[in-house]
């Protein structure tokens, strides 16, 4: 398991609380799902013996925090039975800051993308894919071939984006430019570090599925007092031949002024 300690703070003369993220791979199942939990742990100390005398944990994704919680078991089972697969390719690095029952909040490191505009407001179309594929597979001013990455982003601002290899390119100026003979409008930009809320959209999503997921995500963020920015991204992680139950798709909305 990977354990990330975000902060430690006092909540009383003899009590400390920590906020954490825990990730693990459930290897006993054939599809080896990733499990993520976020929450707090509270420790009460005996100042004379300098020992912990009481310890309790809470998960952000459940309301019933009893030691044996049926809701907690259902939450674990929900994650364990997700069949979606993430290809073993370069991908933007992020840390899950908070995982709720219906979405999670992530802190993304900066990453580079090549992008091209699309004429359709339908984010589920494949428009722009061939132009970007041609660019990374040698159709650039250096005739330099790049490896495929994941996910492919389509934005509500009518752009399609491919992530570029972080191990190969540190900044936008390191990346080849569009070929002079190309008729496509391709640019390389750096996606700045950001905090995003993400929700899963299973299968092969249609435009209506994506818009519904965005609306539900915004409602959940408003419910929890989080300030969502305008716009969204659809992230699609898998090759076209991957069967619908195994596909990973997400709608992402940026969040302003988030703090743990």
């Amino acid at each position: 398991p990977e354990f990330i300690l975000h902060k430690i703070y006092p909540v009383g003369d003899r009590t400390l609380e920590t906020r954490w993220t825990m990730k693990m791979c459930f290897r006993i199942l054939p599809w080896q799902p990733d499990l993520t939990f976020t929450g707090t742990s509270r420790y009460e100390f005996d100042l004379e013996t300098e020992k912990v005398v009481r310890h309790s944990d809470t998960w952000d994704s459940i309301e019933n925090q009893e030691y044996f919680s049926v809701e907690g078991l259902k939450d674990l089972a929900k994650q364990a039975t997700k069949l979606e697969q993430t290809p073993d390719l370069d991908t933007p690095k992020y840390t899950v800051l908070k995982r709720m029952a219906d979405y999670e909040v992530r802190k993304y490191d900066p990453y580079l993308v090549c992008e091209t505009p699309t004429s359709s407001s339908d984010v589920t179309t494949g428009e722009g894919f061939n132009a970007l594929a041609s660019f990374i597979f040698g159709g650039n001013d250096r005739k330099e071939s790049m490896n495929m990455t994941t996910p492919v982003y389509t934005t509500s601002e009518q752009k399609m984006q491919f992530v570029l290899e972080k191990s190969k390119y540190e900044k936008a100026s390191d990346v080849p430019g569009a070929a002079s003979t190309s008729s496509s409008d391709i640019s390389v930009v750096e996606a700045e570090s950001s905090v995003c809320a993400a929700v899963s959209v299973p299968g092969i999503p249609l435009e209506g599925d994506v818009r519904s997921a965005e609306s539900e995500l915004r409602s959940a963020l408003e419910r929890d007092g989080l300030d969502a920015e305008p716009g969204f991204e659809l992230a699609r992680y898998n090759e076209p031949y991957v069967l619908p139950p195994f596909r990973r798709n997400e709608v992402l909305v940026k969040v302003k002024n988030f703090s743990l």
Side-chain angles (χ1 to χ4, degrees), residues 145-194:
S145 184
M146 313 172 202
N147 291 321
M148 192 63 191
T149 58
T150 193
V152 173
Y153 290 107
T154 315
T155 76
S156 57
E157 297 177 347
Q158 296 185 214
K159 294 178 181 179
M160 177 172 277
Q161 300 174 331
F162 280 12
V163 178
L164 298 173
E165 301 167 83
K166 189 70 174 178
S167 57
K168 192 172 185 179
Y169 306 110
E170 292 187 1
K171 52 187 184 296
S173 58
D174 295 336
V175 183
S180 58
T181 56
S182 173
S183 59
S184 302
D185 182 7
I186 295 176
S187 57
V188 175
V189 298
E190 180 176 359
E192 298 180 348
S193 176
S194 61

Side-chain angles (χ1 to χ4, degrees), residues 21-23 34-38 60-61 78-79 82 84 94-108 195-200 217 220-221 223-224 226 237 248 250-255 258:
T21 297
M22 184 176 68
K23 297 181 65 178
D34 290 324
L35 308 182
T36 301
F37 302 94
T38 65
D60 295 321
S61 55
K78 177 183 176 182
Q79 295 192 73
K82 290 180 71 173
E84 64 181 31
Y94 65 83
T95 300
V96 177
L97 300 178
K98 198 168 189 180
R99 179 184 162 270
M100 307 297 287
D102 44 0
Y103 68 91
E104 63 184 34
V105 179
R106 304 170 179 169
K107 173 69 177 296
Y108 277 87
V195 174
C196 296
V199 65
S200 178
L217 177 56
L221 294 174
R223 173 199 71 203
D224 295 334
L226 299 182
Y237 285 79
R248 178 183 176 187
E250 294 169 338
V251 168
L252 297 104
V253 171
K254 290 184 178 178
V255 177
F258 180 81

Side-chain angles (χ1 to χ4, degrees), residues 73-117:
L73 288 175
K74 288 181 178 179
D75 182 65
L76 189 152
K78 177 183 176 182
Q79 295 192 73
T81 53
K82 290 180 71 173
L83 301 178
E84 64 181 31
Q85 300 292 305
T86 304
D88 187 19
L89 300 172
D90 271 20
T91 190
K93 184 178 180 181
Y94 65 83
T95 300
V96 177
L97 300 178
K98 198 168 189 180
R99 179 184 162 270
M100 307 297 287
D102 44 0
Y103 68 91
E104 63 184 34
V105 179
R106 304 170 179 169
K107 173 69 177 296
Y108 277 87
D109 291 349
Y111 59 93
L112 296 173
V113 298
C114 58
E115 64 179 27
T116 191

